[in-house]
Amino acid sequence: MAAPIALSVSVFIISIVAYGIHDLLTNFEDNGCEMTYMFEYPEYQKIDIGDGQEKYPNYALHIYGEGVYANRIRNLQLNGIPVLFIPGNSGSHKQVRSLGSVALRMAERSRIKVHFNYFVVDINEELSGLYGGVLKKQTEFVHLCLQKILNFYKNAKNPPSSVVLVGHSMGGIVARGLFALPDFDSAMVNTIITQATPHQKPVVSFDEDLHNYYKRVNGFWRSEGGQADLRHVTVVSTGGGHRDVQVRYALTRLDGIVAANRAISASTTSIPKSWVSTDHRCSVWCRQMVLITQRALFDVVDPRTNQISEDADFRMKVFKHHFQSNNALPNYLTHANDSIKLDPKAQWEIKGERSWTFMNRKITKNMYFAVPLRVEEASDSIIVLSNLTNPEWLCYCDIPVGKTSCETCTSLSTHIRLLPPLYSNTKFARISFRDFEVANDTHIVISIPAGQRKISITSDRYNSDERHLVYHLPNSWDSVISYPISATDGAAMLRIQNQSVFYSLHLAGLALPTTAYKALIIPLGCRRHSAESNEGSILRLNVPWSNEETYSFSSYGKMASLMIKLQTPRPLSLAWDWHLDDSVEPHLEMFLHPYCHYQLRLLASAPDSLGQKYLEWDCPG
Ligand SMILES: *[C@@H]1O[C@H](CO)[C@@H](O)[C@H](O)[C@H]1NC(C)=O
Ligand SMILES: *[C@@H]1O[C@H](CO)[C@@H](O)[C@H](O)[C@H]1NC(C)=O
Ligand SMILES: *[C@@H]1O[C@H](CO)[C@@H](O)[C@H](O)[C@H]1NC(C)=O
Ligand SMILES: *[C@@H]1O[C@H](CO)[C@@H](O)[C@H](O)[C@H]1NC(C)=O
């Protein structure tokens, strides 16, 4: 039944003329953000902060509430975890609603009795992105608010000693700016999350006060004294990807400002379960990101105090998990190489084929699939995709000749990553046999517990010389494509093995955001006519230096396209010579359906005109 199909990938390099470029730059995927729905009427209770308010007649502090909770907090006898939202340039205080509302819903469902109190400063929708003078005033006002906020917890069982800060756009700069105030007690803040904040430099450059503000704040964060003062502070900065044309992702990065072991910078396109580019405003309400942010905040709560954990290393682990390397396991604290005990009564099946797919509606008995690794002479890698929902589903062990099972195995959970589309549960592990000791009897074990419903597993063992191809970015017709792709008549053609699930195209020389390509994966034929909505092909632009991966998914039998355009230039510190190490250059990764065969097209654009376009963005004003 499983008639093998010819899978052929051909690569066409087509230069497109100048007028096509505009389309390439502006024709992003549709806004992929989901809306956050509110069920109850939002209330922004204005808080009388007493002494000090007269200095800031245009500013105010509010606390967010809905329904019963809004009534409960009216007397300001609080006992949750305080979070202060700081809106950005011309931002309204009502922007706190998305996070505040989701935090309430999650607290209702949470098993542990933890909830968050969301505060917000109303800074009168000032243009803080243009005039530095207002930033200083806003920072001082936020400082005053923090002192007031902590006072509301006097009667709580475990009163908080710090407030979480969430800043949108310039609000993120204000959050970091607090620490540069002469009289700021840095113990008041240990967690900062910024959304589309230009940390590196202001977006416009004509205002001197703005420059001075940045100079003072970033100077403090970079200074030795600052670093010592900030050891307990963890900062997460997210940027919106290509759709945010106001604040480019490169500006949102924290490199060189916050110590690397206290900072995470990520593009929303790369964040697992987000995978969308958010435009500047949308970064506040994009539901995927709101959920991820709030989940991360629940996970950094210390169960002993029901407040944010004081352990900065622990918080970094949790944030890395949610914003960077979510492997679908709730146990981000467990260690790799953990030994797993297997069920001695389970049913075992050896899956020797090079490539196979397993689908089942209902599993009634614990099962293990054992996939031998050393079969074909040349195989050196394996990729496994599944939508299993049990946590430890992938491990390895040695099964000696004459035996058909093992008793314990070693977890491979650190290799697992999630893939789009959202809600599909798709995860993959791509394992090079170099990653661990592979003996002749080593097997990968896939664990399928009884009770799993409607599962799909695909496995493909391969030789990386045939799947990991190199494309030298030429910006011209005489593109050189490495063996085994051969070029004929300006089109490059590649014949590859049947049932190939994974390909990686190393884009050698792609180092600047001025180069743009569009990758198209076109299915030429598929074995079945219909499929589930989550089945299809996934493209990923993997950029090793900056957490700016981009993804696209297309359903079974449909064309997938992905813009190949960097958001940050490759750091000069990385080896320029691609011969040395291809792991420091971008790759186009293709996760293909084993039942289809495809053609890959790369549409290239003229670099010069694009360069100009890029410069226009770089220097507005
Ligand atoms: C691939 O599929 C084609 C067509 O079904 C078949 O003729 C060919 O033998 C297969 N190749 C391999 C290596 O299995
Ligand atoms: C897991 O084991 C491999 C080889 O046995 C080793 O290289 C790797 O560092 C280990 N990882 C951790 C996190 O201990
Ligand atoms: C593993 O298998 C290869 C090829 O079958 C063989 O040459 C080699 O001796 C084997 N190694 C061991 C340790 O059994
Ligand atoms: C797993 O994938 C199969 C095939 O696409 C689908 O029918 C099933 O609903 C998926 N199951 C889960 C738990 O997502």
Side-chain angles (χ1 to χ4, degrees), residues 359 361 387 389 423-425 453-456 532 534-535:
M359 289 200 201
R361 302 235 137 239
N387 63 7
T389 52
Y423 312 121
S424 70
N425 289 316
R453 284 171 183 280
K454 295 187 87 183
I455 55 164
S456 148
E532 304 269 346
N534 289 335
E535 286 183 67

Side-chain angles (χ1 to χ4, degrees), residues 129 170 173 176 196-205 210-211 214-215 218 222 246-248 250-253 255 257 614-615 617-620:
M170 295 307 283
I173 284 294
R176 283 201 304 109
T197 295
H199 288 291
Q200 293 290 340
K201 56 177 186 152
V203 175
V204 296
S205 42
L210 193 58
H211 260 290
Y214 266 80
K215 218 166 122 190
N218 283 349
R222 287 184 174 122
Q246 259 162 289
V247 177
R248 285 184 298 108
L251 293 182
T252 69
R253 292 192 53 85
D255 314 83
I257 298 173
Y614 177 72
L615 287 178
W617 282 358
D618 203 24
C619 320

Side-chain angles (χ1 to χ4, degrees), residues 3-7 497-498:
I5 30 139
L7 181 84
Q497 290 164 326
N498 296 337

Side-chain angles (χ1 to χ4, degrees), residues 200-485:
Q200 293 290 340
K201 56 177 186 152
V203 175
V204 296
S205 42
F206 52 75
D207 183 64
E208 203 174 326
D209 286 342
L210 193 58
H211 260 290
N212 290 337
Y213 185 89
Y214 266 80
K215 218 166 122 190
R216 202 170 55 246
V217 172
N218 283 349
F220 177 79
W221 280 73
R222 287 184 174 122
S223 69
E224 249 171 61
Q227 303 252 326
D229 205 22
L230 292 158
R231 250 197 294 270
H232 67 293
V233 186
T234 45
V235 189
V236 176
S237 170
T238 62
H242 292 294
R243 289 179 68 91
D244 193 335
V245 290
Q246 259 162 289
V247 177
R248 285 184 298 108
Y249 172 64
L251 293 182
T252 69
R253 292 192 53 85
L254 296 162
D255 314 83
I257 298 173
V258 182
N261 64 350
R262 291 290 176 262
I264 292 176
S265 309
S267 161
T268 55
T269 58
S270 76
I271 296 173
K273 296 192 184 182
S274 160
W275 298 306
V276 291
S277 180
T278 57
D279 65 40
H280 195 63
R281 291 269 150 180
C282 160
S283 51
V284 175
W285 58 255
C286 182
R287 182 161 180 273
Q288 290 94 317
M289 283 307 301
V290 168
L291 288 175
I292 290 162
T293 305
Q294 195 53 51
R295 269 187 218 123
L297 286 177
F298 270 99
D299 281 352
V300 291
V301 170
D302 182 339
R304 288 167 304 183
T305 60
N306 279 357
Q307 289 293 340
I308 300 292
S309 166
E310 306 268 332
D311 181 348
D313 293 323
F314 166 75
R315 294 198 306 272
M316 282 303 291
K317 270 187 198 156
V318 174
F319 290 146
K320 272 217 168 88
H321 173 79
H322 285 284
F323 291 94
Q324 210 171 309
S325 53
N326 192 333
N327 59 358
L329 295 186
N331 55 339
Y332 38 77
L333 298 177
T334 61
H335 304 287
N337 299 343
D338 272 0
S339 176
I340 301 170
K341 214 171 151 12
L342 301 176
D343 172 11
K345 294 201 210 85
Q347 176 188 334
W348 282 77
E349 195 176 323
I350 306 280
K351 289 279 199 184
E353 310 102 289
R354 185 184 66 72
S355 170
W356 53 269
T357 297
F358 173 84
M359 289 200 201
N360 198 310
R361 302 235 137 239
K362 187 149 189 257
I363 303 292
T364 50
K365 194 169 186 291
N366 285 353
M367 280 175 71
Y368 295 112
F369 286 156
V371 186
L373 296 184
R374 279 278 151 76
V375 181
E376 302 85 9
E377 192 80 353
S379 292
D380 60 7
S381 304
I382 186 166
I383 183 159
V384 183
L385 286 118
S386 95
N387 63 7
L388 287 166
T389 52
N390 48 313
E392 290 285 359
W393 61 273
L394 197 67
C395 60
Y396 71 95
C397 71
D398 291 344
I399 303 181
V401 186
K403 287 203 148 192
T404 51
S405 66
C406 50
E407 282 154 25
T408 60
C409 65
T410 307
S411 169
L412 285 167
S413 58
T414 47
H415 292 265
I416 298 170
R417 291 291 177 271
L418 293 168
L419 281 177
L422 202 58
Y423 312 121
S424 70
N425 289 316
T426 311
K427 21 195 112 60
F428 81 100
R430 183 155 68 85
I431 293 157
S432 159
F433 298 172
R434 273 183 317 225
D435 293 349
F436 53 93
E437 204 151 311
V438 171
N440 280 2
D441 55 2
T442 304
H443 289 63
I444 279 196
V445 177
I446 301 167
S447 152
I448 314 165
Q452 286 270 322
R453 284 171 183 280
K454 295 187 87 183
I455 55 164
S456 148
I457 304 169
T458 299
S459 160
D460 183 12
R461 197 168 49 225
Y462 64 87
N463 172 359
S464 56
D465 284 346
E466 289 164 7
R467 303 290 187 84
H468 300 181
L469 311 170
V470 185
Y471 173 53
H472 293 270
L473 270 115
N475 304 321
S476 72
W477 277 100
D478 50 21
S479 325
V480 186
I481 297 182
S482 75
Y483 174 82
I485 313 178

Side-chain angles (χ1 to χ4, degrees), residues 33-102:
C33 282
E34 297 180 354
M35 297 278 291
T36 25
Y37 293 100
M38 314 308 140
F39 300 102
E40 293 183 287
Y41 190 74
E43 283 185 52
Y44 309 88
Q45 262 185 64
K46 190 167 169 180
I47 295 175
D48 177 15
I49 58 171
D51 290 350
Q53 174 78 72
E54 68 284 354
K55 257 181 91 183
Y56 310 95
N58 297 327
Y59 297 168
L61 175 65
H62 296 259
I63 183 165
Y64 179 81
E66 290 173 19
V68 182
Y69 167 79
N71 284 328
R72 215 171 59 216
I73 58 173
R74 223 171 285 281
N75 62 2
L76 293 172
Q77 300 286 315
L78 305 177
N79 56 14
I81 299 169
V83 183
L84 176 64
F85 182 85
I86 312 171
N89 184 35
S90 79
S92 154
H93 66 283
K94 297 192 173 162
Q95 288 175 341
V96 72
R97 183 173 163 187
S98 311
L99 270 168
S101 185
V102 163

